[in-house]
Amino acid sequence: MASEEASLRALESLMTEFFHNCTTNERKREIEELLNNFAQQIGAWRFCLYFLSSTRNDYVMMYSLTVFENLINKMWLGVPSQDKMEIRSCLPKLLLAHHKTLPYFIRNKLCKVIVDIGRQDWPMFYHDFFTNILQLIQSPVTTPLGLIMLKTTSEELACPREDLSVARKEELRKLLLDQVQTVLGLLTGILESIWDKHSVTAATPPPSPTSGESGDLLSSLLQSPSAAKLLNQPIPILDTESEYICSLALECLAHLFSWIPLSTSITPSLLTTIFHFARFGCDTRVRKMSSVNGSSQNSVLGQERGRLGVLAMSCINELMSKNCVPMEFEEYLLRMFQQTFYLLQKITKENNAHTVKSRLEELDESYIEKFTDFLRLFVSVHLRRIESYSQFPVVEFLALLFKYTFHQPTHEGYFSCLDIWTLFLDYLTSKIKSRLADKEAVLNRYEDALVLLLTEVLNRIQFRYNQAQLEELDDETLDDDVRSRAEQGQLQQTEWQRYLRQSLEVVAKVMELLPTHAFSTLFPVLQDNLEVYLGLQQFVVTSGTGHRLNITAENDCRRLHCSLRDLSSLLQAVGRLAEYFIGDVFAARFNDALTVVERLVKVTLYGSQIKLYNIETAVPSVLKPDLIDVHAQSLAALQAYAHWLAQFYSEVHRQNPEQFISLVSTALEAITPLISSKVQEKLLLSACHLLVSLATTVRPVFLISIPAVQKVFNRITDTSAQRLPDKAQVLVCRALSNVLLLPWPNLPESEQQWAVRSTNHASLISALTREYRQLKSNAILPQRKVQLEDTKAIIHQTLSVLEDIVESISGESTKSRQICYQSLQESVQVSLALFPAFIHQSDVTDEMLSFFLTLFQGLRVQMGVPFTEQIIQTFLNMFTREQLAESILHEGSTGCRVVEKFLKILQVVVQEPGQVFKPFLPSVISLCMEQVYPIIAERSSPDVKAELFELLFRVLHHNWRYFFKSSVLASVQRGVAEEQMENEAQFSAIMQAFGQSFLQPDIHLFKQNLFYLETLNTKQKLYHKKIFRTTMLFQFVNVLLQVLVHKSHDLLQEEIGIATYNMASVDFDGFYSAFLPEFLASCDGVDSNQKNVLGRNFKMDRDLPSFTQNVHRLVNDLRYYRLCNDSLPPGTVKL
């Protein structure tokens, strides 16, 4: 024993040294190596058993348990059976002897180690593993320990990690399922007996806020008075031990519910018991009691009791989240809902002492979160199922949800509830669309609830009703979690913008269902705030420096600030509703829409005329941004009605268009004064966007002849005028170009006046590109730095405008595109001439290629074949191997972007139908395979790869005949004549590149390329082609299986499985007779017996589900066998 004793002392001092803050990293590494070597020794476990029973040092105990864990999970196969028996008997004894004194994390780790043995050996070699757990639970002294063992067993055995064979995983699940009924019975018993034991007897009912709560709603919810009575009993007061046992039992249930199927073994009495515990979360007296008694012990107790409510709700939500509900379980579900809505009623009950909000504030935040999750699951998964039950009062439920929503103590809680309403409104909308006949009945049922919701959401976004809360919202910083959304292409928004946007989505969905109600609710509120804004004119006085707003009293300024903020929000709301006035309902809702548009036109003109954006105010830091924002929002709201104006135009253009002409002309009068570099950018951009919409969506014939528009033309083409900021310049030029290029609606071709418009467009573009076209003459000369910067600025400004003009016209009629190209022709030739001079300036090349890419996408037909050929040839000559290497390797992201855009242009070229660009194919393929591919193949960075492989895919997909000349005769005599193959070497090289890409870690590239191969197989039968079938097929299958075995691209398991099936199914006989045996023979780390088992378990199924299941089984078991074999002690003889 001395040696064991000595080892223990040595280990304790090593551990203390390791965790001491003075120990160097170098020394820590030495100690770690020493400990690892000790753990690897055969028989080290005996020392660890001694350490566990003889030390009080936590580090030593943790280390010893890790040695056992390693032994059981990685080396168990090689442990002699005598040793295994000893370990199986000693560890549980140790646990029983010390579980009360061990620190909880050591006790839990020891439980896990014992469960790990059960995972390997139960029931064959460890037959009493589960019965021991059940006995522990049933004996009062060890109930907590038994529950911890049970939960660990559920975690480790029901969803085991991969270090087991598939057969063993299935066996374990079946064994556990056999025990479920017993286990659930035991847990129900524990919870019920604790509840009953501590229940306050009914003889002397205590003064409780719950008494007298079973109103009509409750009895209608619960149907049976006995259930209502049960739920109305006061909540028992538990001692700490009982509370601990209940929390463990509820944790067990939550984990069990995550994997057991819904079935009758989840009995009504179990559900009722869980609901009893859910009441702990919504009982505010729990908190009170703890604060009255004053001691910290009690307040901890209060939190613990709140936690029981949270755990019970977790159990309920696990059941709720299952979408597949067997028929016999539906009634249970209904009962669950009834009981939860009893809780909801309790939470939202108002009584003298409490408002609902202060009640909710007193509850545990996690409880509220769980409750909201429950409501979301109810509406999204089960509402359609439950709504049909006559005994379930949906409308009353909505009334409770309404109270719950609008009394949430936090913004996040409120957002989560708005999401639930959105789900409900979506459900209603789709229900009405699928049952148009009952539309009125459905709407009548819910009308009152929806109108209430709308009114309240509108009140919530107004400072007039909700100032205190709205002032807490941040309107400066962009949300963190929104950054990721921005990366996914969505808008970044501040907290306030998110609040407003989510609220307006709910308003819009109600508008869709109840248009007249929604409009009559919203418009008067807008009108009130407009009156204030339009009345500001009387307070404008002229001062020495300009105009001043003569409102100075602090209170008046604050009221004005609130009113302007509200007006801005309501203008956004009115804009959001524009889509509900167009299409089929145009005529029916015409008057409402006309009222709105007239008001908006009036407001925008008013703002521009009295120049509120330039006015001096008493509180400039607050009121000036407010005034600018209202002006900008009024322009944006009017822009939202562009489609309505377009429909109005097409309805009236023949009869009396005066009203329409007046609306458009007035709007333009409001816009033109704002198009100036002196106006704040927010306002300037709103004006530009409105101008673009009038020019692009509405397209009135008379636009060009309105003086206001001519003024803008002159301003833009006048070189002496100060240039607008980039964004605004681009928008105004787009608008002016569209005025001249887009066909006028409602007019025949003969009345389009193309000749005049073409001349005007040419002179517009000529004026916009004057400086750019002059660059051509001196582009060849070397430039000084200052001059170079000026040149770059001209290129940037001109190309951004031209690119935008081409992009906005790309989907339009041929005539528009012809005129556009005629005007641009000279600038395009200048760009091509400048390109070689700037090939080493990647920022300029980037912009030029963007421009050419847009030209190819929008105007390639108009450019004509000879010029297009000239462009492509120029690019192919410029992008030599050296130039490509310089761009990709040395110029960072801009250089890579240049090459990517060049490849994108080639993608457009190779997709072009017909024979025109076919002559380029050989040089495109050789550029890809001989120049670009060798540079990027070995780099780990994903740059350029995605574009290159997309180009290769397009080459194959759109030019299949370049490789496979299928003659008519061959396809008639299918199977007799093999297709002729051409350019075989290029095809093989491309396929090899695809194969190589599957060996690289980039998961996006892997997914994209797998999709390309599958598409080529679906469309062109790639896997069936002789060259693929005979020389590549099984190489690809091999690579895909290896990827699965290495788990490097686990997220794509399903896609890889399907692709493997599609490839194997081309030649199942070959797969089963030749490939599979060869694949297994080449697998290292497994012995021949294991290989035979793997081969036998792979059934010769030919349907997709069975085949992919076999693949995943093979992969799992192969990994498992390797793990087992690695763990055998060296020199083990395997028979």
Side-chain angles (χ1 to χ4, degrees):
M1 279 322 269
S3 65
E4 284 184 349
E5 175 73 24
S7 302
L8 175 55
R9 296 293 157 256
L11 182 58
E12 285 178 345
S13 72
L14 275 178
M15 282 297 188
T16 313
E17 183 184 355
F18 185 86
F19 286 104
H20 196 280
N21 49 15
C22 298
T23 311
T24 64
N25 285 343
E26 197 55 43
R27 175 64 181 147
K28 283 188 176 183
R29 267 195 294 278
E30 284 172 22
I31 296 176
E32 208 169 342
E33 203 172 316
L34 200 67
L35 295 175
N36 285 340
N37 292 341
F38 179 79
Q40 291 307 319
Q41 294 179 111
I42 297 171
W45 64 269
R46 285 190 188 281
F47 281 91
C48 291
L49 204 54
Y50 170 72
F51 298 159
L52 280 171
S53 51
S54 314
T55 185
R56 292 274 68 84
N57 183 317
D58 294 352
Y59 298 134
V60 171
M61 286 195 262
M62 209 59 177
Y63 168 72
S64 306
L65 288 171
T66 315
V67 173
F68 272 111
E69 196 172 32
N70 192 43
L71 176 80
I72 293 158
N73 289 329
K74 298 194 175 157
M75 301 152 78
W76 202 235
L77 262 182
V79 176
S81 54
Q82 197 55 44
D83 290 7
K84 287 185 188 175
M85 276 171 63
E86 201 176 325
I87 293 170
R88 281 196 297 262
S89 89
C90 290
L91 287 180
K93 281 182 190 156
L94 193 74
L95 179 66
L96 264 180
H98 298 292
H99 72 96
K100 285 229 160 58
T101 53
L102 287 173
Y104 74 93
F105 54 93
I106 304 277
R107 178 203 59 206
N108 291 358
K109 181 83 163 176
L110 181 50
C111 289
K112 183 188 171 296
V113 168
I114 294 170
V115 169
D116 281 341
I117 301 177
R119 202 168 63 125
Q120 304 277 359
D121 292 355
W122 174 59
M124 191 75 160
F125 303 110
Y126 191 177
H127 57 87
D128 53 359
F129 167 69
F130 207 84
T131 34
N132 285 350
I133 294 178
L134 296 178
Q135 281 166 1
L136 288 174
I137 294 175
Q138 284 161 306
S139 152
V141 191
T142 55
T143 302
L145 185 61
L147 292 172
I148 292 167
M149 288 289 291
L150 177 63
K151 180 171 173 241
T152 314
T153 304
S154 175
E155 288 165 350
E156 298 295 324
L157 272 61
C159 324
R161 292 183 306 281
E162 56 170 39
D163 48 0
L164 291 177
S165 68
V166 171
R168 177 65 177 155
K169 287 179 181 176
E170 288 166 358
E171 181 189 19
L172 281 175
R173 178 162 280 235
K174 200 171 159 306
L175 287 166
L176 282 177
L177 279 171
D178 291 344
Q179 302 288 342
V180 161
Q181 204 154 357
T182 317
V183 166
L184 291 181
L186 267 181
L187 293 171
T188 311
I190 288 173
L191 291 169
E192 277 181 349
S193 65
I194 290 182
W195 182 277
D196 294 342
K197 182 176 150 197
H198 293 81
S199 274
V200 184
T201 46
T204 54
S208 130
T210 52
S211 53
E213 248 182 53
S214 51
D216 304 333
L217 171 59
L218 184 57
S219 39
S220 70
L221 273 174
L222 288 171
Q223 298 299 303
S224 66
S226 62
K229 187 163 176 253
L230 258 177
L231 278 173
N232 255 331
Q233 291 175 350
I235 291 185
I237 292 167
L238 306 182
D239 56 84
T240 319
E241 177 70 4
S242 308
E243 205 155 284
Y244 178 52
I245 290 175
C246 292
S247 68
L248 288 173
L250 290 168
E251 280 175 12
C252 282
L253 283 170
H255 197 273
L256 289 165
F257 289 164
S258 69
W259 62 267
I260 61 178
L262 292 179
S263 70
T264 43
S265 48
I266 301 172
T267 60
S269 64
L270 172 57
L271 291 177
T272 308
T273 306
I274 294 173
F275 274 98
H276 277 320
F277 281 94
R279 286 171 53 201
F280 274 110
C282 57
D283 192 43
T284 49
R285 285 173 315 130
V286 171
R287 294 292 180 92
K288 288 254 178 39
M289 208 187 64
S290 59
S291 55
V292 171
N293 296 346
S295 75
S296 59
Q297 175 65 40
N298 270 326
S299 67
V300 171
L301 199 78
Q303 285 162 1
E304 274 303 312
R305 299 186 56 187
R307 188 166 163 264
L308 286 181
V310 175
L311 291 171
M313 283 311 292
S314 298
C315 294
I316 294 165
N317 288 350
E318 279 294 351
L319 294 175
M320 291 289 302
S321 58
K322 296 180 193 293
N323 203 346
C324 170
V325 180
M327 276 304 289
E328 68 272 15
F329 201 77
E330 284 213 351
E331 196 186 326
Y332 291 6
L333 260 186
L334 182 63
R335 190 175 289 139
M336 279 173 67
F337 298 138
Q338 290 168 338
Q339 294 181 320
T340 318
F341 296 130
Y342 160 74
L343 294 179
L344 180 57
Q345 191 199 14
K346 206 167 143 45
I347 288 180
T348 53
K349 180 150 185 65
E350 295 177 56
N351 59 18
N352 313 335
H354 281 79
T355 61
V356 179
K357 187 164 180 182
S358 66
R359 250 190 110 80
L360 288 174
E361 275 168 350
E362 285 185 355
L363 300 183
D364 186 320
E365 254 179 62
S366 333
Y367 187 73
I368 297 277
E369 265 172 47
K370 292 280 179 201
F371 213 95
T372 307
D373 286 344
F374 168 82
L375 295 168
R376 181 186 296 106
L377 288 166
F378 172 69
V379 172
S380 58
V381 182
H382 302 284
L383 184 63
R384 57 191 164 71
R385 199 178 269 127
I386 292 297
E387 200 197 11
S388 51
Y389 281 91
S390 55
Q391 68 263 47
F392 188 81
V394 180
V395 178
E396 285 88 340
F397 158 64
L398 291 178
L400 291 176
L401 177 60
F402 180 85
K403 273 164 79 174
Y404 182 77
T405 302
F406 292 107
H407 290 103
Q408 282 294 316
T410 65
H411 290 306
E412 281 307 318
Y414 177 62
F415 283 148
S416 303
C417 292
L418 281 189
D419 284 343
I420 298 175
W421 282 104
T422 308
L423 289 167
F424 173 69
L425 293 166
D426 289 341
Y427 162 74
L428 263 193
T429 311
S430 62
K431 179 175 173 172
I432 284 170
K433 281 180 184 153
S434 64
R435 304 210 323 232
L436 283 173
D438 321 344
K439 180 177 177 175
E440 288 312 310
V442 174
L443 278 178
N444 287 340
R445 182 176 185 191
Y446 294 120
E447 184 179 304
D448 294 349
L450 295 183
V451 172
L452 256 177
L453 173 70
L454 173 73
T455 314
E456 193 54 43
V457 170
L458 277 177
N459 288 348
R460 282 305 170 101
I461 61 172
Q462 293 178 67
F463 280 78
R464 182 175 174 180
Y465 301 105
N466 192 22
Q467 185 171 355
Q469 271 199 297
L470 295 180
E471 302 228 303
E472 291 171 14
L473 292 170
D474 175 0
D475 197 16
E476 299 291 318
T477 43
L478 292 167
D479 256 354
D480 278 346
D481 60 321
V482 183
R483 299 246 157 95
S484 55
R485 277 185 226 149
E487 283 154 20
Q488 293 157 15
Q490 295 173 349
L491 286 167
Q492 283 186 295
Q493 45 191 17
T494 63
E495 198 180 16
W496 158 254
Q497 288 167 334
R498 178 182 166 212
Y499 182 88
L500 188 60
R501 184 166 289 144
Q502 276 189 277
S503 305
L504 293 186
E505 283 314 299
V506 174
V507 172
K509 285 178 191 295
V510 177
M511 174 85 183
E512 193 176 350
L513 291 161
L514 300 172
T516 34
H517 282 85
F519 186 74
S520 55
T521 308
L522 175 65
F523 195 69
V525 191
L526 174 71
Q527 196 61 356
D528 287 351
N529 285 289
L530 277 178
E531 293 310 321
V532 175
Y533 178 63
L534 295 171
L536 289 178
Q537 193 161 7
Q538 61 201 11
F539 296 104
V540 174
V541 294
T542 313
S543 67
T545 47
H547 296 283
R548 195 177 83 247
L549 190 61
N550 197 12
I551 296 177
T552 51
E554 188 182 342
N555 202 23
D556 293 344
C557 288
R558 185 172 293 127
R559 277 175 41 219
L560 178 58
H561 166 64
C562 291
S563 175
L564 291 172
R565 287 289 302 257
D566 289 349
L567 177 55
S568 170
S569 304
L570 293 161
L571 284 165
Q572 288 179 59
V574 165
R576 177 66 187 82
L577 303 183
E579 61 182 285
Y580 304 114
F581 292 107
I582 52 175
D584 306 341
V585 296
F586 177 80
R589 297 190 199 150
F590 176 78
N591 288 333
D592 283 347
L594 183 62
T595 317
V596 172
V597 174
E598 283 176 342
R599 295 300 287 168
L600 292 173
V601 167
K602 180 180 173 183
V603 172
T604 50
L605 182 63
Y606 163 82
S608 297
Q609 277 175 342
I610 68 166
K611 298 196 170 160
L612 285 171
Y613 52 91
N614 267 345
I615 219 151
E616 290 176 26
T617 62
V619 205
S621 63
V622 177
L623 292 178
K624 190 159 184 177
D626 288 345
L627 290 163
I628 291 169
D629 192 46
V630 165
H631 200 162
Q633 294 299 353
S634 62
L635 292 159
L638 184 53
Q639 186 200 352
Y641 285 84
H643 289 281
W644 181 85
L645 282 167
Q647 201 169 346
F648 185 16
Y649 184 34
S650 62
E651 306 275 330
V652 298
H653 74 106
R654 285 285 177 229
Q655 303 94 310
N656 43 351
E658 291 73 25
Q659 200 175 21
F660 172 77
I661 294 173
S662 141
L663 282 174
V664 173
S665 315
T666 318
L668 284 162
E669 276 177 58
I671 294 170
T672 28
L674 301 174
I675 294 183
S676 142
S677 47
K678 296 189 181 67
V679 172
Q680 293 85 354
E681 191 159 7
K682 181 177 193 174
L683 191 48
L684 167 62
L685 290 176
S686 288
C688 296
H689 279 295
L690 177 54
L691 182 63
V692 168
S693 290
L694 291 173
T696 312
T697 308
V698 189
R699 309 185 189 182
V701 167
F702 54 83
L703 210 53
I704 188 75
S705 53
I706 293 180
V709 177
Q710 290 172 346
K711 215 164 150 187
V712 179
F713 264 102
N714 298 336
R715 159 120 191 29
I716 284 292
T717 50
D718 173 9
T719 39
S720 62
Q722 195 183 352
R723 191 187 149 92
L724 296 171
D726 276 357
K727 266 186 190 166
Q729 181 84 6
V730 166
L731 289 169
V732 175
C733 294
R734 183 200 307 174
L736 299 180
S737 167
N738 284 354
V739 167
L740 297 168
L741 287 181
L742 298 182
W744 290 320
N746 324 313
L747 285 181
E749 192 64 19
S750 56
E751 293 175 37
Q752 292 286 353
Q753 301 177 19
W754 286 125
V756 184
R757 294 166 76 184
S758 173
T759 314
N760 287 338
H761 193 264
S763 55
L764 170 70
I765 298 293
S766 170
L768 292 174
T769 58
R770 193 172 294 118
E771 289 186 86
Y772 182 65
R773 287 176 293 116
Q774 288 163 359
L775 293 175
K776 186 177 178 181
S777 48
N778 51 10
I780 320 306
L781 307 170
Q783 297 190 320
R784 291 196 308 281
K785 193 156 179 150
V786 180
Q787 204 180 349
L788 180 65
E789 290 310 313
D790 292 348
T791 308
K792 280 185 176 183
I794 295 171
I795 293 175
H796 166 71
Q797 289 169 351
T798 312
L799 289 183
S800 56
V801 168
L802 297 184
E803 187 182 331
D804 183 81
I805 286 175
V806 175
E807 205 170 316
S808 71
I809 203 82
S810 59
E812 294 297 334
S813 66
T814 312
K815 189 71 191 167
S816 302
R817 288 188 296 180
Q818 266 170 352
I819 296 175
C820 184
Y821 183 63
Q822 280 162 4
S823 308
L824 282 173
Q825 202 164 359
E826 191 187 341
S827 302
V828 175
Q829 285 166 341
V830 169
S831 304
L832 191 59
L834 290 176
F835 187 77
F838 288 96
I839 187 75
H840 297 294
Q841 307 278 336
S842 55
D843 49 348
V844 180
T845 334
D846 187 22
E847 291 188 315
M848 288 194 166
L849 285 173
S850 280
F851 174 53
F852 277 109
L853 177 59
T854 311
L855 281 174
F856 271 88
Q857 285 165 338
L859 300 177
R860 60 182 174 282
V861 179
Q862 285 68 29
M863 291 198 300
V865 177
F867 186 51
T868 314
E869 287 183 345
Q870 188 191 335
I871 296 175
I872 297 170
Q873 205 48 62
T874 306
F875 289 167
L876 287 171
N877 296 342
M878 292 309 302
F879 282 107
T880 57
R881 177 134 190 198
E882 294 70 36
Q883 181 55 45
L884 286 165
E886 180 190 330
S887 293
I888 295 172
L889 302 174
H890 305 301
E891 290 178 9
S893 56
T894 325
C896 289
R897 267 209 312 277
V898 168
V899 178
E900 285 172 353
K901 281 183 185 150
F902 173 44
L903 296 174
K904 273 198 170 104
I905 291 174
L906 295 177
Q907 286 167 21
V908 177
V909 172
V910 300
Q911 284 179 74
E912 193 60 30
Q915 291 304 307
V916 183
F917 295 129
K918 295 295 178 251
F920 280 114
L921 273 178
S923 50
V924 169
I925 296 174
S926 86
L927 172 95
C928 290
M929 298 314 300
E930 290 158 30
Q931 304 199 22
V932 182
Y933 182 65
I935 300 174
I936 62 166
E938 295 310 314
R939 295 183 78 215
S940 59
S941 145
D943 296 334
V944 186
K945 288 181 185 169
E947 298 301 342
L948 176 71
F949 280 103
E950 184 174 346
L951 175 54
L952 292 173
F953 165 66
R954 304 255 169 237
V955 165
L956 291 165
H957 188 38
H958 297 276
N959 304 280
W960 196 245
R961 304 271 310 271
Y962 176 76
F963 302 101
F964 298 96
K965 279 263 189 289
S966 70
S967 63
V968 178
L969 187 62
S971 54
V972 173
Q973 310 166 324
R974 229 332 154 285
V976 181
E978 253 306 337
E979 287 175 312
Q980 288 171 286
M981 172 94 203
E982 296 192 353
N983 303 302
E984 189 174 326
Q986 289 181 320
F987 178 80
S988 298
I990 293 175
M991 283 295 121
Q992 197 167 354
F994 271 95
Q996 283 289 308
S997 74
F998 293 141
L999 299 173
Q1000 295 180 340
D1002 183 350
I1003 194 161
H1004 298 292
L1005 187 69
F1006 191 105
K1007 184 177 184 177
Q1008 168 192 297
N1009 287 357
L1010 195 60
F1011 170 73
Y1012 289 157
L1013 288 184
E1014 291 281 86
T1015 308
L1016 290 171
N1017 185 47
T1018 316
K1019 297 275 172 32
Q1020 267 105 3
K1021 294 272 178 277
L1022 167 68
Y1023 306 157
H1024 298 258
K1025 297 290 175 234
K1026 184 181 179 185
I1027 179 171
F1028 192 90
R1029 219 176 48 236
T1030 53
T1031 62
M1032 306 173 191
L1033 181 70
F1034 290 131
Q1035 285 180 356
F1036 272 101
V1037 176
N1038 187 21
V1039 167
L1040 293 179
L1041 284 179
Q1042 295 292 359
V1043 166
L1044 286 174
V1045 172
H1046 290 299
K1047 286 182 85 86
S1048 51
H1049 297 71
D1050 248 13
L1051 289 172
L1052 302 176
Q1053 268 184 359
E1054 197 176 332
E1055 291 90 333
I1056 297 173
I1058 293 169
T1060 310
Y1061 172 78
N1062 289 334
M1063 290 179 188
S1065 63
V1066 171
D1067 180 9
F1068 268 138
D1069 295 338
F1071 177 81
Y1072 286 118
S1073 62
F1075 171 76
L1076 197 57
E1078 273 175 38
F1079 175 79
L1080 289 170
S1082 68
C1083 285
D1084 48 5
V1086 279
D1087 60 36
S1088 54
N1089 181 30
Q1090 290 167 331
K1091 287 177 184 178
N1092 291 338
V1093 175
L1094 290 171
R1096 270 203 310 278
N1097 283 344
F1098 203 114
K1099 306 283 182 287
M1100 293 202 184
D1101 296 309
R1102 299 195 170 204
D1103 61 293
L1104 174 68
S1106 310
F1107 183 87
T1108 48
Q1109 210 173 350
N1110 287 329
V1111 166
H1112 293 309
R1113 182 184 198 115
L1114 169 76
V1115 167
N1116 180 88
D1117 290 358
L1118 176 57
R1119 290 177 62 83
Y1120 167 65
Y1121 286 146
R1122 282 180 176 169
L1123 197 84
C1124 293
N1125 297 341
D1126 287 347
S1127 69
L1128 290 171
T1132 306
V1133 179
K1134 286 183 241 171
L1135 299 171

